[in-house]
Amino acid sequence: EIYNERCQPPWSHEELVFKVRNAFTYARSQAGIKDPATLFAGAAPEATTSQWARCASEIDISRIKPRDWLLGYRYLAGYVTLTVAPGGVGKSLWTILEGLSIASGKQLTHDPVRQDGAVWIYNTEDPYDELERRIVAAARYHKLTRADTQRLYYTSGYDKPLTFAKYDEGNRPVLNEGLIGHMIGFIREKAIRLLIIDPFVECHQVKENDNDAINLVMQGFRRIALETGCALGLVHHSSKGTDANSRGNAD
């Protein structure tokens, strides 16, 4: 009776039972999942003064810590850094050099090493043999020893792409929670201080012009950085242009 108040013409009892039974049998989502109370659960704090806002006069200056920089002012622990440049200018080799710098504790770029530690490079574009060529070439050029490279970890996603997020059957962006959990576990196990994802475009299967989807992906990366305290670097391509149209092109 309740359903047929808004169903015109109303269904018979048998028709309604058939549809409800099918909905229960082939359900793709949990019942009530689209209820506003479920949709916005935990989205806002309770309406108490201390939870809604803090008062500036109560700031304890003695508890304020300096920013936790790792390499110059490039990578900040607990935050995501984006490196953007056109293709073919050396972004991947540059980030490998930065990783070696932090792993070895030796300044290899113009940025000084503020904190050394373990580094994990997850390259989704190149196979292992190419990554090893680049790592060894950079290490040899800067006369690094095996001891200098023992805290640099690298993973190739060339034959097994990293899928951080994709669309579900309802065309809604969904994070790969299992992958996030595994990455957090590895970062904690190896005490990783910097995680580099190279390139960003190949770590997900959502449209880069879909702001909601990309924001969801970034929420996942921020969660990794916050929960582990590591710095996270994303390498991203800007659009490719010819000499005629590249100057002044903000993309």
Side-chain angles (χ1 to χ4, degrees):
E1 292 84 357
I2 295 173
Y3 195 94
N4 277 334
E5 287 178 0
R6 61 178 185 177
C7 182
Q8 296 297 329
W11 287 329
S12 69
H13 178 75
E14 290 75 15
E15 289 175 318
L16 189 55
V17 167
F18 177 76
K19 291 181 179 294
V20 170
R21 181 178 293 116
N22 281 347
F24 178 78
T25 303
Y26 303 107
R28 295 178 179 175
S29 303
Q30 181 180 351
I33 197 68
K34 293 186 178 181
D35 180 77
T38 302
L39 185 63
F40 294 104
E46 296 179 7
T48 61
T49 303
S50 61
Q51 290 179 316
W52 273 111
R54 297 180 181 181
C55 181
S57 66
E58 297 176 0
I59 295 176
D60 185 352
I61 299 176
S62 65
R63 297 182 61 184
I64 297 178
K65 299 179 181 179
R67 292 189 178 96
D68 197 10
W69 295 103
L70 302 184
L71 185 71
Y73 296 108
R74 278 276 289 148
Y75 297 111
L76 183 60
Y79 288 84
V80 178
T81 296
L82 191 64
T83 300
V84 184
V89 302
K91 294 185 298 298
S92 295
L93 185 56
W94 177 257
T95 52
I96 287 174
L97 193 59
E98 290 180 320
L100 284 168
S101 188
I102 293 175
S104 67
K106 298 179 179 180
Q107 183 174 351
L108 306 179
T109 70
H110 64 275
D111 290 312
V113 179
R114 297 176 182 271
Q115 296 181 51
D116 59 71
V119 177
W120 182 18
I121 297 175
Y122 202 121
N123 187 295
T124 59
E125 195 170 45
D126 297 313
Y128 273 109
D129 57 354
E130 179 61 22
L131 287 176
E132 289 165 0
R133 289 187 191 102
R134 295 181 176 192
I135 292 171
V136 171
R140 282 185 172 181
Y141 181 85
H142 290 279
K143 298 180 174 59
L144 299 182
T145 65
R146 286 189 178 272
D148 292 325
T149 62
Q150 65 182 357
R151 292 189 295 180
L152 180 68
Y153 300 91
Y154 60 99
T155 301
S156 169
Y158 183 78
D159 57 349
K160 189 176 182 181
L162 180 72
T163 306
F164 208 81
K166 63 180 181 179
Y167 294 105
D168 65 7
E169 295 178 353
N171 202 35
R172 293 168 295 190
V174 178
L175 283 175
N176 188 340
E177 296 292 346
L179 175 65
I180 293 175
H182 286 304
M183 294 181 76
I184 289 174
F186 182 79
I187 290 169
R188 287 173 173 167
E189 176 189 346
K190 300 298 183 181
I192 302 295
R193 297 293 288 140
L194 171 65
L195 166 63
I196 295 174
I197 305 293
D198 177 20
F200 174 70
V201 68
E202 293 195 30
C203 76
H204 60 79
Q205 295 179 9
V206 299
K207 298 175 183 177
E208 293 204 335
N209 286 331
D210 185 339
N211 289 339
D212 291 337
I214 292 299
N215 184 53
L216 183 68
V217 175
M218 292 306 301
Q219 287 177 16
F221 282 125
R222 285 198 298 268
R223 193 198 318 166
I224 291 175
L226 284 171
E227 290 191 18
T228 63
C230 79
L232 204 154
L234 301 177
V235 179
H236 191 49
H237 298 293
S238 58
S239 63
K240 298 177 177 65
T242 63
D243 291 338
N245 66 16
S246 60
R247 293 184 179 88
N249 182 354
D251 292 329

